[in-house]
Amino acid sequence: SFILQKHTGSTIRARVFSIHDSTYSGFMQLSYIVFGFLFEKLGISSVGLFAGSISLLCGFSWLLKLGKNNDL
């Protein structure tokens, strides 16, 4: 939000933030529905393992990209 506010002009800042907040809230509610359905069908441990695996892969890919850009 800070970066969005910093790079948005003051004349349209309110409109941009209203769209940002609306889409953020909508996607959060959608994720609650999807994960609630998955919890009932697959179980909490299976969904947790899947979500953790995706998070781990995202973290590793971010780390590899960061390492290539900064020559770690």
Side-chain angles (χ1 to χ4, degrees):
S1 292
F2 170 74
I3 294 172
L4 183 63
Q5 183 177 5
K6 185 177 177 182
H7 294 287
T8 302
S10 61
T11 57
I12 61 168
R13 191 173 293 145
R15 290 180 223 150
V16 170
F17 271 96
S18 68
I19 291 172
H20 175 262
D21 287 343
S22 297
T23 56
Y24 179 79
S25 297
F27 276 104
M28 288 299 291
Q29 291 174 3
L30 183 64
S31 73
Y32 295 151
I33 292 169
V34 169
F35 274 94
F37 176 76
L38 290 175
F39 286 158
E40 285 195 8
K41 296 296 178 186
L42 302 176
I44 293 175
S45 59
S46 298
V47 175
L49 182 64
F50 176 73
S53 300
I54 296 296
S55 179
L56 184 69
L57 289 174
C58 290
F60 277 136
S61 66
W62 177 81
L63 184 62
L64 289 173
K65 184 175 174 84
L66 179 71
K68 288 180 183 177
N69 288 341
N70 291 331
D71 294 327
L72 289 177

